Structure formats: structure tokens, C-alpha cells
Amino acid sequence: MKTTTTSVAALAATGLLASALALSADPATPERIAMSASGDEAANWLTVHGNYSSHRFSELNGITPDNVGDLRLAFAVPLGGTEPSAFGAGAMETTPLVKDGKMYVSDPWGTPYKIDVSSGKMGQIEWICDTAIDKDPSLGIIVANRGLALSGDLVVSNLPDGRVVACDDASGDIVWEKQTATEPGEGFSGAPLAVGDKIIVGQSFGDWATRGWIAALDAATGDEVWRFYTVPEPGQPGSETWLCEESGNPDCWKTGGAAAWVTGSYDPESNTLIYGTGNPVPMFDPEYRPGDNLYSNSAVALDADTGELKWHFQYTPGDYLDYDEVGSHLLIDQEIDGEMRKVVAHFGRNGIFYNLDRSNGSFINSGQYVEQLNWTPGIDPKTGKPVNYDPNASLQAYAEDVTMRRDGGPIENCPHLQGGINFWPTAYNPQTGQAFGHSIEGCSELSVVPVAAEDVITGTIFTGGSNADSGEMDGSILRVNAATGEVDQKVIREYPGYAGVMLTPGIVWVGEMDGTFGAYDADSLEQLWSMNTGGVYKAPAMTYSVDGKQYVAITAGPLGLGSFGHPEIEQTQAANMLYVFSL
Amino acid sequence: MKATRTLATAAALAMTVFAGGALAQDSASDAEFVPENYDMDRGKEVYERVGVCLQCHGWDGAGMGRNPRSVGTAPNLREFPDDAQLLHEIIACGRPYTEMPYHDRNAYSDGRCYDMTMDDFEEGEKPSRGKSIREDDIDNLVAYMLTHMIGAGDTTFAQCEEFYGEGHRNCVPLEGR
């Protein structure tokens, strides 16, 4: 009996000790997240896009253009999640988070890992929050996960199977989990966003014949607080842009897509969320879903407390080239034409850089950033719409010979259907007013393959056409004057951009599909340093510091499908890795 | 221009393929191919996990499985000819000038497929290599396809539950079909 008593007492003591340790870790409060990657929080990267404005810029300046040549690999950590779905091994597209010497990173199936990086010599996995996700190799989904959210003492992941799971920061135990996405085909790819006492998530799998939405959950319980459907139902504002009756299928809006694949931005001053939305579905066959198809291919501004739509701007109405606009929306305060403006800036997948007014979504200016663009003769300088946009037409025809129709032939569209810049993040340096992107340069060949409404099965991929690359694609790293939208520096790279960029003072950080991770001079865009680690980079870098020393981290993984005409990289094997570099 | 030439070449080759006899193989070339003599459970496994055929053809062979990031459009195998030899040949040799890869690791090393080797193809038009499938497993796969896909008509809920298991969420949208 005595032994038992002693053991219980010992356990209790241990428990107390554990609690004390847990308490000693500072939670990710809203105040801390709002300061992420700057000021008192410059050592940390507390939200997926670096800060709420999605700048992916860190003030850390231990690594400079002068000393980056001495950068070396400090340590690496193998991660799991290489189990394939029917579409192959999932891509590593995640951005690690760092809080007080601990790193939080997800694998392609959304499984969170907490890694102690405080020694600077190795990454020690502290826990893996196993969500028991069914890694079913026959699931016809694209496995990809773009990161986690920290909220108080929770580490939150949204999964490809539609669940949202909150893990305890100290133990990795599951605190709550919710099957937030319940319809066939629904699931998540973009990182959740912690805003105040809420977790914002976006349903991602529009192309599986689903209807997109963005929802807010109570961070303490996971209970859903509000949901905004990116495709309105009949009778709601915007429903007049789905002319489903004309297609003979009045329900075409129900599989309309407009998915939220990527984490949005948050403007604390106006308590507004700004998310980009995906393409209308099916992507290549507008005759299935005549009309402008709101709120596809749009920026939507939502009240963070209620989910109410404040404004929207649709980049490419009635799209047929898969020019969705899920990518980063940069919140910028800048002088334009002599006037200080609060702006939303966005590198469109359609090859155009846009500036919008953050208070109402009105168009300010734009500039073409890709080398080849043939889908529109230009952008109307007043409205921001493609010049041949006809608000009264049920089917748009933006350019002769580049318009998709069931009775038309194959077309060649530039930029490539994946962009330009697709889901991978862009960045902005507020110290210089410069925006940076990592782009595909090239074209694709598309044709319509109509599918009858009765043959559309929710949860099954539904594109309404087929596609091929136009030969070998190039890529580019480029800089835009954010105020004018004009490209002022660009370097062409051998491999298409697919990973995105991160900025520190004077340096642009980019990973590439052939396994090259490089640091580029922010002025000349000349490569200052690089290392080839062999895996495929489809994720952007991030940076943090521990005990005053700066580190740069990035994850690499498999190619998956799509070598963009570069067969030499098709044999790259699936090995999910975290790499951390330092001087 | 390139696309046109490729399509023409593919069409010519397809005719050759359908004329039959391009491939000399022992097992499936017998006039009498009896699916029941092969391991169909293994065939399903090959379809799903070894060849990962469902990536392009879909679990039911309807050709709707294709990855939106991949190229090409897979044919509907449910409407494919009931021809064991042809199936075996296409799985082993692929269909050059289309996206259908070959699954015999040595398909184009010794002329066993269409009397061609890799050197017979121009740069950029070489057949693409899929997951390797062993000879016996190609027969098991052909047996599975002939029994569960070829000529199976429209996809049904029951077929889905047979593939994925009872109550699987993938089958919910097919209820009533």
C-alpha cells in the first residue's frame, strides 16, 4: 500500500512538474501573432504567411547579402507522410512555424510535428500529433498541406479528409477534433488562420465537384461560428451570375467550386479577412456553368466576426482557363499617385499584378508580370476587367483563338493554366515597397471534354477538359514596384516557379523543382548562394532566430506529377525533409 | 503543329495496335484466356497499388480519375474491347505517342514491343515508363479488368462498395445508381 501511495504521489509530482513546464511555454496570443516576424516577435514566425498581411518578410538581418555566401546546412530532419493517394505521393508545400525555439511543421497528410530546434545543432522531434487519418492509396485526392496555425496553447491542423484537429502544444494530445467538412469530396489544403478567439478554415477541393466555403471555428471548442459559401445559392446576391438554366442543369451552382485553397490575409484595423477564391468548376467548360460565376476567381473581404461579405473583386469572370486566384493577397499601405492608400495587392495566376483598394475592393492599377500572355489583349484601366469583358454575356470570349468552347478546337493559352503564380506564396518588403514572386513562364494546350450533368459525381475530379504543357516550361524570380504594378527586375530560371518566395533585408529566398535552394540579391536578383539538396522544393522558406542566431528553414518532398517538360527530374523519389541553414 | 503531328502518329500506331499481334507474349496471347484461372484479388491490388492505374482511369475504369495536374485524358475502360491479348499488350508496352505508360521494365530494350527500341523514338517523343508490373501480375490485372470493368456498363453504387468496402464515404455520391 505504501508503495502505491508513494507511486501516486510521485506521479502527481511529475504531473505538476509537467504542468509547470507547460505553463512556462508562452502561448501564441492574438497580440503575439499580430506582431509575428517583426519587433518583439522578430525571432518567431507565428502564422503561415509570416504576418497577417501575408508579407513573408522577416526583419532578421543576421544573414546579409555580404555574408550569405558562408551559409551552411545546420541540420536536417526526415518527416513522414510519404504514403501516396491515388494521385501519388503528396507534395511538401508547408511553411514551418517557430515559437520560442520550437518548430511546428505539417506533412502532406496534415500531421503536425513539434520539433525542438533550440540547440541549433539538431532538430529533436518532441511529439507527432497523429490524427489517425486514413492514408488510403485509392483516394482520388491531391494530398498537400500548406501549414498549421498556433492559437494560444493549441496547434491546429486542417486535414485532407475534412477534419480540423487541435493538438495541445505541450503534449501533442488531441484537445478537440471536428469533421467540419462533411460533404463528399470536401477537404482542406491551406493552413488554418488564427484570428482572435477563432480559427478560420477554407474548403479546398472545388475541382472534385464541390461548392467552396470559408468558415470560422471557436478556437476553444472547434464549434463552427459562421460559414461563407463562395458560391451563393439561388436567391442570394451573386446567384444571378450562375445562369444554370441556360445549361439545362439548374443545379450547376452546387458543384461550382470557387474553393479556398490558400490561407487569406487579415486586416486587424477593419477586422476584415481577405481570401482569394478558386476557379469555377468545371474549369475548362464554361458552357456547363454559364455566367460570371461569383465568387469564383475573386478576392472576397469578410467580416471576421460574422463572415458577412463586405466587398469582392472578380479578376477573371466566367473563366475557362483555370486562372483561379487563391494565392496570397498582400496588404500594403503605400503611396500611389501621391496619395497614401490602403491596398490589397495580388499576383494573379492570369499573369497580371493587381492593386485594389482595401476598403471597398475597387480597382487601382495593374501590370503584366509574365513574359507571354495571350488570353486577353489587356486589362481595362478603369474597371480592372479584361478589356473584352461583356457584363451582359453568358459566355465570355476574352481573346480570339484563346476561348474554350465545346465546338471549338484545342487552344494554346499563355500563361500556362497553372500561371503565372498559382498557390505558392508571394512576398512584400515594407522597407522598400517591393513585391516579389516566383513564376512559371510558358503556355499550355487545353481542350474541352464535355461531361453530362448526370455523369458528374461529387467527390470525383471534374475538369470538363484536358490539358498538356506546351513543351518545356521556364520559370522566373521577379520583383514588382508595388505602387505601379510594373516589373522592375526579373531573372529567368530553368525550372518553373512552384515554391514561392521569402524575404529578409536584402535577400530573396527561393527553392526550385530540381532541389536547388538559393539566396538572391534583392536588388539585382543575382544568385548569392545556393545548395542542391536533391528533393523537389514546392514550399517557401521561413526564418527564425534562437539566442540571437538566425536560421532559415525550408521543406522538400517528391515531384508528384507534372515535370513541366523536364523529364530529368521525374525520377526524384519521395523523401519528405526539413532543412535548416545558418552561418 | 507539334500536337497535330503527334496525334496523327498516335492514330497510325493505334491502328497497328488494334490490328493485333504486335506483341509476342505467352500467357495472355492464348485464344482462351479464362479470368477465373487467375488471381483477381491480386489483380485489384495491382490496379490500385502496384500500377496505380486508378490515378488516370479511376477506380471503376471510367477514365475520370485523372489528376488535374497531369496531362492527357484516359479512355473509358468500361467501353474497351473484350480482348485479353490487347489489354496485356497495352499494359506491357503502353501506347507510344499517348500518355499511356509502359509497365514492362524492358519494353523498349530488345524490340519485344512493336519491334521498337527507345532509339526508334525522337527526343521528346519517347514512351513514358510507368510502375513496373511483373508478367504474372499483368495477367492477374487483365483478369480483374475483364471481370470488373470491360463491358460493365454504367458505374453503380454496388460496384463502388465492392471496390472500397461497405459504407465507404467515396461511394455516398453514387447512392441510387
Side-chain angles (χ1 to χ4, degrees):
Chain A
M1 294 304 275
K2 195 177 177 187
T3 315
T4 311
T5 314
T6 312
S7 299
V8 170
L11 279 171
T14 314
L16 283 171
L17 188 62
S19 302
L21 282 173
L23 286 173
S24 72
D26 291 329
T29 61
E31 295 74 24
R32 293 190 71 187
I33 296 171
M35 286 297 293
S36 172
S38 67
D40 290 347
E41 298 293 343
N44 297 314
W45 189 286
L46 302 172
T47 189
V48 67
H49 290 320
N51 66 7
Y52 277 143
S53 297
S54 301
H55 288 174
R56 290 187 180 258
F57 168 80
S58 168
E59 295 174 0
L60 293 177
N61 56 8
I63 302 168
T64 67
D66 288 336
N67 66 22
V68 70
D70 295 330
L71 202 69
R72 61 180 180 81
L73 182 63
F75 58 92
V77 181
L79 302 171
T82 54
E83 300 89 343
S85 72
F87 290 165
M92 281 299 277
E93 297 174 359
T94 189
T95 304
L97 305 178
V98 168
K99 175 168 73 76
D100 306 329
K102 310 288 183 179
M103 179 178 286
Y104 306 83
V105 62
S106 56
D107 71 23
W109 288 92
T111 305
Y113 299 66
K114 182 179 183 181
I115 303 172
D116 183 351
V117 293
S118 59
S119 74
K121 296 184 185 330
M122 72 173 295
Q124 181 72 57
I125 295 179
E126 283 194 8
W127 53 247
I128 298 171
C129 182
D130 188 346
T131 63
I133 191 166
D134 182 7
K135 297 172 184 172
D136 179 354
S138 66
L139 280 178
I141 58 169
I142 283 186
V143 178
N145 184 280
R146 295 171 185 153
L148 305 166
L150 301 178
S151 175
D153 291 319
L154 299 176
V155 180
V156 185
S157 183
N158 50 202
L159 308 180
D161 69 6
R163 280 181 299 153
V164 184
V165 178
C167 311
D168 180 68
D169 187 350
S171 65
D173 291 346
I174 292 175
V175 178
W176 54 257
E177 65 170 280
K178 296 284 179 181
Q179 185 70 52
T180 306
T182 54
E183 298 303 307
E186 290 186 343
F188 300 108
S189 68
L193 182 67
V195 172
D197 59 0
K198 296 185 182 63
I199 303 292
I200 314 297
V201 295
Q203 202 279 105
S204 307
F205 297 147
D207 298 304
W208 283 255
T210 69
R211 183 183 174 208
W213 47 262
I214 296 161
L217 313 183
D218 182 326
T221 63
D223 292 338
E224 192 168 315
V225 180
W226 56 253
R227 181 181 289 205
F228 172 77
Y229 279 96
T230 52
V231 176
E233 63 184 35
Q236 291 181 336
S239 61
E240 70 284 356
T241 66
W242 292 84
L243 305 173
C244 296
E245 299 287 351
E246 287 187 16
S247 72
N249 169 23
D251 289 336
C252 80
W253 60 275
K254 289 183 179 173
T255 55
W261 288 88
V262 176
T263 312
S265 302
Y266 173 63
D267 183 357
E269 194 179 292
S270 61
N271 194 34
T272 304
L273 297 163
I274 296 168
Y275 268 69
T277 61
N279 54 286
V281 173
M283 59 177 76
F284 300 131
D285 183 10
E287 289 160 274
Y288 190 92
R289 37 143 187 101
D292 283 1
N293 306 142
L294 288 174
Y295 301 94
S296 68
N297 295 3
S298 299
V300 294
L302 307 178
D303 184 296
D305 287 335
T306 65
E308 190 186 343
L309 180 69
K310 293 185 173 184
W311 56 257
H312 74 276
F313 178 84
Q314 190 176 34
Y315 298 96
T316 308
D319 174 38
Y320 38 76
L321 302 172
D322 197 15
Y323 288 154
D324 79 357
E325 299 300 354
V326 298
S328 300
H329 282 71
L330 309 167
L331 308 190
I332 299 174
D333 294 347
Q334 63 183 347
E335 195 175 302
I336 296 180
D337 296 333
E339 188 188 347
M340 273 307 287
R341 303 284 299 260
K342 291 182 188 302
V343 166
V344 181
H346 173 63
F347 285 87
R349 180 161 161 179
N350 62 13
I352 313 278
F353 178 92
Y354 293 85
N355 274 315
L356 309 176
D357 186 304
R358 197 150 85 230
S359 64
N360 58 20
S362 63
F363 175 75
I364 298 172
N365 59 28
S366 70
Q368 176 180 331
Y369 71 85
V370 291
E371 297 298 296
Q372 289 175 274
L373 189 149
N374 71 353
W375 69 274
T376 177
I379 296 296
D380 185 310
K382 284 203 177 67
T383 66
K385 299 296 187 200
V387 288
N388 290 326
Y389 169 64
D390 178 354
N392 298 314
S394 55
L395 295 174
Q396 298 298 328
Y398 293 126
E400 207 177 341
D401 300 331
V402 197
T403 301
M404 296 281 276
R405 291 292 187 269
R406 287 176 179 178
D407 60 3
I411 61 143
E412 183 177 64
N413 64 304
C414 317
H416 188 273
L417 79 144
Q418 289 224 46
I421 297 171
N422 184 345
F423 61 83
W424 46 91
T426 57
Y428 174 74
N429 182 341
Q431 298 174 346
T432 61
Q434 295 167 330
F436 293 81
H438 187 203
S439 185
I440 300 170
E441 299 284 356
C443 309
S444 47
E445 293 167 18
L446 309 178
S447 52
V448 180
V449 181
V451 178
E454 58 267 28
D455 292 334
V456 174
I457 298 169
T458 54
T460 300
I461 188 76
F462 177 35
T463 63
S466 69
N467 60 278
D469 296 340
S470 297
E472 187 179 308
M473 303 283 117
D474 293 331
S476 63
I477 299 167
L478 62 103
R479 186 179 71 224
V480 164
N481 176 330
T484 65
E486 300 295 325
V487 173
D488 61 15
Q489 190 64 271
K490 185 184 228 181
V491 289
I492 298 294
R493 304 287 302 165
E494 182 176 357
Y495 292 93
Y498 217 87
V501 293
M502 190 269 286
L503 306 176
T504 57
I507 303 178
V508 186
W509 302 84
V510 182
E512 294 177 288
M513 295 179 79
D514 70 338
T516 301
F517 179 49
Y520 298 80
D521 184 278
D523 287 327
S524 65
L525 294 183
E526 280 173 30
Q527 192 178 76
L528 300 169
W529 167 90
S530 78
M531 178 176 179
N532 190 293
T533 56
V536 175
Y537 286 111
K538 290 192 170 182
M542 55 79 67
T543 188
Y544 64 93
S545 74
V546 177
D547 298 332
K549 182 168 183 177
Q550 185 181 0
Y551 298 84
V552 173
I554 188 167
T555 61
L559 176 66
L561 284 179
S563 61
F564 293 92
H566 294 271
E568 70 279 9
I569 58 174
E570 282 175 3
Q571 310 239 27
T572 311
Q573 297 299 296
N576 295 336
M577 293 293 298
L578 165 74
Y579 297 106
V580 178
F581 300 86
S582 67
L583 291 174
Chain B
M1 293 309 277
K2 187 184 165 218
T4 314
R5 193 179 76 232
T6 307
L7 283 175
T9 321
L13 189 87
M15 284 172 67
T16 316
V17 169
F18 281 96
L23 177 72
Q25 294 285 0
D26 302 330
S27 43
S29 63
D30 297 337
E32 295 296 322
F33 182 87
V34 183
E36 286 70 27
N37 293 345
Y38 297 88
D39 184 346
M40 275 186 264
D41 288 342
R42 174 63 184 164
K44 177 178 187 263
E45 222 168 82
V46 173
Y47 188 81
E48 195 175 355
R49 311 186 70 144
V50 180
V52 206
C53 315
L54 78 179
Q55 182 164 304
C56 298
H57 294 284
W59 67 268
D60 58 349
M64 288 292 287
R66 64 184 179 280
N67 185 326
R69 292 180 195 164
S70 78
V71 293
T73 306
N76 184 350
L77 299 173
R78 303 174 80 85
E79 296 169 355
F80 207 75
D82 178 2
D83 185 334
Q85 187 187 339
L86 179 63
L87 281 168
H88 191 113
E89 177 180 293
I90 292 179
I91 293 164
C93 302
R95 292 187 72 173
Y97 308 108
T98 75
E99 300 304 328
M100 176 66 189
Y102 62 89
H103 298 84
D104 173 347
R105 181 63 181 79
N106 296 339
Y108 295 97
S109 45
D110 56 9
R112 68 180 72 182
C113 286
Y114 314 120
D115 279 332
M116 295 175 90
T117 67
M118 275 298 173
D119 294 340
D120 294 326
F121 296 93
E122 283 180 33
E123 205 55 49
E125 295 190 339
K126 294 186 188 300
S128 56
R129 194 173 86 221
K131 307 274 187 189
S132 288
I133 307 177
R134 291 177 312 180
E135 182 69 19
D136 287 356
D137 273 344
I138 294 183
D139 286 336
N140 293 329
L141 174 58
V142 167
Y144 173 74
M145 291 171 70
L146 285 172
T147 312
H148 289 85
M149 288 172 193
I150 310 286
D154 288 342
T155 303
T156 67
F157 178 69
Q159 288 164 354
C160 186
E161 289 212 318
E162 192 187 344
F163 186 89
Y164 283 110
E166 213 170 306
H168 198 286
R169 70 179 230 159
N170 286 12
C171 301
V172 173
L174 282 164
E175 271 173 22
R177 288 180 191 242

